[in-house]
PDB file of all heavy atoms in Angstrom:
ATOM      1  N   ILE A 140      84.995 182.204   3.694  1.00 96.00           N
ATOM      2  CA  ILE A 140      85.619 182.936   4.796  1.00 96.00           C
ATOM      3  C   ILE A 140      84.644 183.962   5.360  1.00 96.00           C
ATOM      4  O   ILE A 140      84.512 184.096   6.584  1.00 96.00           O
ATOM      5  CB  ILE A 140      86.941 183.582   4.329  1.00 96.00           C
ATOM      6  CG1 ILE A 140      87.969 182.478   4.031  1.00 96.00           C
ATOM      7  CG2 ILE A 140      87.468 184.560   5.379  1.00 96.00           C
ATOM      8  CD1 ILE A 140      89.218 182.971   3.342  1.00 96.00           C
ATOM      9  N   ALA A 141      83.956 184.687   4.506  1.00 97.00           N
ATOM     10  CA  ALA A 141      83.023 185.709   4.975  1.00 97.00           C
ATOM     11  C   ALA A 141      81.904 185.113   5.822  1.00 97.00           C
ATOM     12  O   ALA A 141      81.584 185.616   6.903  1.00 97.00           O
ATOM     13  CB  ALA A 141      82.429 186.479   3.779  1.00 97.00           C
ATOM     14  N   ILE A 142      81.316 184.035   5.363  1.00 97.00           N
ATOM     15  CA  ILE A 142      80.213 183.407   6.112  1.00 97.00           C
ATOM     16  C   ILE A 142      80.704 182.836   7.424  1.00 97.00           C
ATOM     17  O   ILE A 142      80.060 182.972   8.459  1.00 97.00           O
ATOM     18  CB  ILE A 142      79.518 182.350   5.237  1.00 97.00           C
ATOM     19  CG1 ILE A 142      78.731 183.053   4.124  1.00 97.00           C
ATOM     20  CG2 ILE A 142      78.580 181.489   6.075  1.00 97.00           C
ATOM     21  CD1 ILE A 142      78.104 182.129   3.109  1.00 97.00           C
ATOM     22  N   SER A 143      81.885 182.197   7.412  1.00 97.00           N
ATOM     23  CA  SER A 143      82.392 181.626   8.658  1.00 97.00           C
ATOM     24  C   SER A 143      82.704 182.722   9.669  1.00 97.00           C
ATOM     25  O   SER A 143      82.432 182.558  10.859  1.00 97.00           O
ATOM     26  CB  SER A 143      83.607 180.747   8.403  1.00 97.00           C
ATOM     27  OG  SER A 143      84.717 181.529   7.999  1.00 97.00           O
ATOM     28  N   VAL A 144      83.226 183.852   9.228  1.00 97.00           N
ATOM     29  CA  VAL A 144      83.513 184.958  10.151  1.00 97.00           C
ATOM     30  C   VAL A 144      82.216 185.540  10.706  1.00 97.00           C
ATOM     31  O   VAL A 144      82.119 185.815  11.911  1.00 97.00           O
ATOM     32  CB  VAL A 144      84.371 186.037   9.445  1.00 97.00           C
ATOM     33  CG1 VAL A 144      84.418 187.317  10.262  1.00 97.00           C
ATOM     34  CG2 VAL A 144      85.771 185.511   9.192  1.00 97.00           C
ATOM     35  N   VAL A 145      81.210 185.719   9.851  1.00 97.00           N
ATOM     36  CA  VAL A 145      79.921 186.246  10.318  1.00 97.00           C
ATOM     37  C   VAL A 145      79.304 185.295  11.356  1.00 97.00           C
ATOM     38  O   VAL A 145      78.800 185.735  12.413  1.00 97.00           O
ATOM     39  CB  VAL A 145      78.950 186.477   9.137  1.00 97.00           C
ATOM     40  CG1 VAL A 145      77.539 186.710   9.616  1.00 97.00           C
ATOM     41  CG2 VAL A 145      79.427 187.653   8.292  1.00 97.00           C
ATOM     42  N   ILE A 146      79.347 184.011  11.109  1.00 97.00           N
ATOM     43  CA  ILE A 146      78.785 183.033  12.053  1.00 97.00           C
ATOM     44  C   ILE A 146      79.527 183.081  13.384  1.00 97.00           C
ATOM     45  O   ILE A 146      78.913 183.122  14.454  1.00 97.00           O
ATOM     46  CB  ILE A 146      78.815 181.608  11.446  1.00 97.00           C
ATOM     47  CG1 ILE A 146      77.800 181.509  10.316  1.00 97.00           C
ATOM     48  CG2 ILE A 146      78.543 180.554  12.513  1.00 97.00           C
ATOM     49  CD1 ILE A 146      77.905 180.227   9.519  1.00 97.00           C
ATOM     50  N   ILE A 147      80.844 183.098  13.344  1.00 96.00           N
ATOM     51  CA  ILE A 147      81.617 183.064  14.570  1.00 96.00           C
ATOM     52  C   ILE A 147      81.499 184.375  15.348  1.00 96.00           C
ATOM     53  O   ILE A 147      81.405 184.352  16.577  1.00 96.00           O
ATOM     54  CB  ILE A 147      83.103 182.730  14.263  1.00 96.00           C
ATOM     55  CG1 ILE A 147      83.183 181.324  13.659  1.00 96.00           C
ATOM     56  CG2 ILE A 147      83.959 182.831  15.499  1.00 96.00           C
ATOM     57  CD1 ILE A 147      82.487 180.243  14.457  1.00 96.00           C
ATOM     58  N   VAL A 148      81.450 185.503  14.660  1.00 96.00           N
ATOM     59  CA  VAL A 148      81.242 186.771  15.364  1.00 96.00           C
ATOM     60  C   VAL A 148      79.860 186.775  16.010  1.00 96.00           C
ATOM     61  O   VAL A 148      79.703 187.243  17.144  1.00 96.00           O
ATOM     62  CB  VAL A 148      81.428 187.976  14.390  1.00 96.00           C
ATOM     63  CG1 VAL A 148      80.926 189.264  15.003  1.00 96.00           C
ATOM     64  CG2 VAL A 148      82.897 188.090  14.010  1.00 96.00           C
ATOM     65  N   SER A 149      78.859 186.237  15.314  1.00 97.00           N
ATOM     66  CA  SER A 149      77.513 186.134  15.899  1.00 97.00           C
ATOM     67  C   SER A 149      77.531 185.250  17.146  1.00 97.00           C
ATOM     68  O   SER A 149      76.905 185.592  18.164  1.00 97.00           O
ATOM     69  CB  SER A 149      76.538 185.530  14.879  1.00 97.00           C
ATOM     70  OG  SER A 149      76.460 186.331  13.738  1.00 97.00           O
ATOM     71  N   PHE A 150      78.218 184.124  17.072  1.00 95.00           N
ATOM     72  CA  PHE A 150      78.313 183.253  18.235  1.00 95.00           C
ATOM     73  C   PHE A 150      79.058 183.938  19.384  1.00 95.00           C
ATOM     74  O   PHE A 150      78.700 183.779  20.547  1.00 95.00           O
ATOM     75  CB  PHE A 150      79.024 181.948  17.883  1.00 95.00           C
ATOM     76  CG  PHE A 150      78.162 180.937  17.200  1.00 95.00           C
ATOM     77  CD1 PHE A 150      78.694 179.737  16.781  1.00 95.00           C
ATOM     78  CD2 PHE A 150      76.816 181.177  16.958  1.00 95.00           C
ATOM     79  CE1 PHE A 150      77.896 178.800  16.143  1.00 95.00           C
ATOM     80  CE2 PHE A 150      76.025 180.256  16.314  1.00 95.00           C
ATOM     81  CZ  PHE A 150      76.573 179.055  15.909  1.00 95.00           C
ATOM     82  N   PHE A 151      80.094 184.689  19.062  1.00 93.00           N
ATOM     83  CA  PHE A 151      80.842 185.398  20.090  1.00 93.00           C
ATOM     84  C   PHE A 151      79.911 186.369  20.841  1.00 93.00           C
ATOM     85  O   PHE A 151      79.888 186.391  22.063  1.00 93.00           O
ATOM     86  CB  PHE A 151      82.025 186.148  19.494  1.00 93.00           C
ATOM     87  CG  PHE A 151      82.769 186.971  20.498  1.00 93.00           C
ATOM     88  CD1 PHE A 151      83.707 186.370  21.324  1.00 93.00           C
ATOM     89  CD2 PHE A 151      82.528 188.322  20.659  1.00 93.00           C
ATOM     90  CE1 PHE A 151      84.391 187.092  22.289  1.00 93.00           C
ATOM     91  CE2 PHE A 151      83.207 189.063  21.603  1.00 93.00           C
ATOM     92  CZ  PHE A 151      84.137 188.459  22.409  1.00 93.00           C
ATOM     93  N   PHE A 152      79.162 187.170  20.075  1.00 94.00           N
ATOM     94  CA  PHE A 152      78.245 188.110  20.733  1.00 94.00           C
ATOM     95  C   PHE A 152      77.168 187.392  21.497  1.00 94.00           C
ATOM     96  O   PHE A 152      76.795 187.813  22.597  1.00 94.00           O
ATOM     97  CB  PHE A 152      77.655 189.086  19.703  1.00 94.00           C
ATOM     98  CG  PHE A 152      78.572 190.229  19.387  1.00 94.00           C
ATOM     99  CD1 PHE A 152      79.277 190.264  18.200  1.00 94.00           C
ATOM    100  CD2 PHE A 152      78.739 191.274  20.300  1.00 94.00           C
ATOM    101  CE1 PHE A 152      80.130 191.304  17.914  1.00 94.00           C
ATOM    102  CE2 PHE A 152      79.598 192.317  20.018  1.00 94.00           C
ATOM    103  CZ  PHE A 152      80.294 192.344  18.824  1.00 94.00           C
ATOM    104  N   MET A 153      76.652 186.303  20.951  1.00 96.00           N
ATOM    105  CA  MET A 153      75.579 185.567  21.626  1.00 96.00           C
ATOM    106  C   MET A 153      76.072 185.007  22.959  1.00 96.00           C
ATOM    107  O   MET A 153      75.428 185.196  23.998  1.00 96.00           O
ATOM    108  CB  MET A 153      75.077 184.427  20.742  1.00 96.00           C
ATOM    109  CG  MET A 153      73.904 183.696  21.329  1.00 96.00           C
ATOM    110  SD  MET A 153      73.321 182.247  20.417  1.00 96.00           S
ATOM    111  CE  MET A 153      73.835 182.468  18.773  1.00 96.00           C
ATOM    112  N   PHE A 154      77.215 184.331  22.947  1.00 94.00           N
ATOM    113  CA  PHE A 154      77.680 183.676  24.175  1.00 94.00           C
ATOM    114  C   PHE A 154      78.397 184.636  25.120  1.00 94.00           C
ATOM    115  O   PHE A 154      78.089 184.701  26.301  1.00 94.00           O
ATOM    116  CB  PHE A 154      78.574 182.491  23.836  1.00 94.00           C
ATOM    117  CG  PHE A 154      77.836 181.309  23.300  1.00 94.00           C
ATOM    118  CD1 PHE A 154      77.870 180.998  21.964  1.00 94.00           C
ATOM    119  CD2 PHE A 154      77.079 180.513  24.154  1.00 94.00           C
ATOM    120  CE1 PHE A 154      77.172 179.909  21.478  1.00 94.00           C
ATOM    121  CE2 PHE A 154      76.379 179.434  23.682  1.00 94.00           C
ATOM    122  CZ  PHE A 154      76.413 179.135  22.332  1.00 94.00           C
ATOM    123  N   GLU A 155      79.369 185.354  24.610  1.00 91.00           N
ATOM    124  CA  GLU A 155      80.235 186.176  25.469  1.00 91.00           C
ATOM    125  C   GLU A 155      79.542 187.446  25.944  1.00 91.00           C
ATOM    126  O   GLU A 155      79.735 187.859  27.090  1.00 91.00           O
ATOM    127  CB  GLU A 155      81.531 186.543  24.717  1.00 91.00           C
ATOM    128  CG  GLU A 155      82.303 185.360  24.217  1.00 91.00           C
ATOM    129  CD  GLU A 155      83.177 184.716  25.274  1.00 91.00           C
ATOM    130  OE1 GLU A 155      83.497 185.377  26.283  1.00 91.00           O
ATOM    131  OE2 GLU A 155      83.535 183.548  25.083  1.00 91.00           O
ATOM    132  N   VAL A 156      78.776 188.096  25.075  1.00 92.00           N
ATOM    133  CA  VAL A 156      78.207 189.393  25.419  1.00 92.00           C
ATOM    134  C   VAL A 156      76.794 189.240  25.996  1.00 92.00           C
ATOM    135  O   VAL A 156      76.518 189.695  27.094  1.00 92.00           O
ATOM    136  CB  VAL A 156      78.196 190.330  24.197  1.00 92.00           C
ATOM    137  CG1 VAL A 156      77.532 191.659  24.530  1.00 92.00           C
ATOM    138  CG2 VAL A 156      79.615 190.549  23.694  1.00 92.00           C
ATOM    139  N   TRP A 157      75.915 188.596  25.272  1.00 95.00           N
ATOM    140  CA  TRP A 157      74.517 188.533  25.697  1.00 95.00           C
ATOM    141  C   TRP A 157      74.296 187.545  26.825  1.00 95.00           C
ATOM    142  O   TRP A 157      73.659 187.853  27.822  1.00 95.00           O
ATOM    143  CB  TRP A 157      73.606 188.234  24.525  1.00 95.00           C
ATOM    144  CG  TRP A 157      73.680 189.281  23.445  1.00 95.00           C
ATOM    145  CD1 TRP A 157      73.865 190.623  23.640  1.00 95.00           C
ATOM    146  CD2 TRP A 157      73.600 189.081  22.043  1.00 95.00           C
ATOM    147  NE1 TRP A 157      73.904 191.269  22.435  1.00 95.00           N
ATOM    148  CE2 TRP A 157      73.745 190.347  21.426  1.00 95.00           C
ATOM    149  CE3 TRP A 157      73.450 187.972  21.237  1.00 95.00           C
ATOM    150  CZ2 TRP A 157      73.715 190.528  20.069  1.00 95.00           C
ATOM    151  CZ3 TRP A 157      73.401 188.145  19.876  1.00 95.00           C
ATOM    152  CH2 TRP A 157      73.540 189.404  19.299  1.00 95.00           C
ATOM    153  N   PHE A 158      74.771 186.291  26.668  1.00 95.00           N
ATOM    154  CA  PHE A 158      74.557 185.288  27.711  1.00 95.00           C
ATOM    155  C   PHE A 158      75.634 185.343  28.797  1.00 95.00           C
ATOM    156  O   PHE A 158      75.500 184.728  29.846  1.00 95.00           O
ATOM    157  CB  PHE A 158      74.539 183.872  27.122  1.00 95.00           C
ATOM    158  CG  PHE A 158      73.388 183.602  26.200  1.00 95.00           C
ATOM    159  CD1 PHE A 158      73.557 182.758  25.115  1.00 95.00           C
ATOM    160  CD2 PHE A 158      72.159 184.195  26.391  1.00 95.00           C
ATOM    161  CE1 PHE A 158      72.500 182.485  24.252  1.00 95.00           C
ATOM    162  CE2 PHE A 158      71.101 183.936  25.545  1.00 95.00           C
ATOM    163  CZ  PHE A 158      71.274 183.087  24.468  1.00 95.00           C
ATOM    164  N   GLN A 159      76.724 186.023  28.539  1.00 91.00           N
ATOM    165  CA  GLN A 159      77.874 186.137  29.431  1.00 91.00           C
ATOM    166  C   GLN A 159      78.398 184.767  29.850  1.00 91.00           C
ATOM    167  O   GLN A 159      78.679 184.502  31.016  1.00 91.00           O
ATOM    168  CB  GLN A 159      77.517 186.991  30.647  1.00 91.00           C
ATOM    169  CG  GLN A 159      77.202 188.418  30.262  1.00 91.00           C
ATOM    170  CD  GLN A 159      76.892 189.291  31.457  1.00 91.00           C
ATOM    171  OE1 GLN A 159      76.731 188.826  32.573  1.00 91.00           O
ATOM    172  NE2 GLN A 159      76.803 190.578  31.216  1.00 91.00           N
TER     173      GLN A 159
END
Side-chain angles (χ1 to χ4, degrees):
I140 292 170
I142 290 174
S143 69
V144 167
V145 167
I146 290 171
I147 297 308
V148 167
S149 301
F150 281 178
F151 176 82
F152 278 104
M153 185 184 337
F154 286 105
E155 303 279 339
V156 177
W157 299 325
F158 295 147
Q159 296 181 351

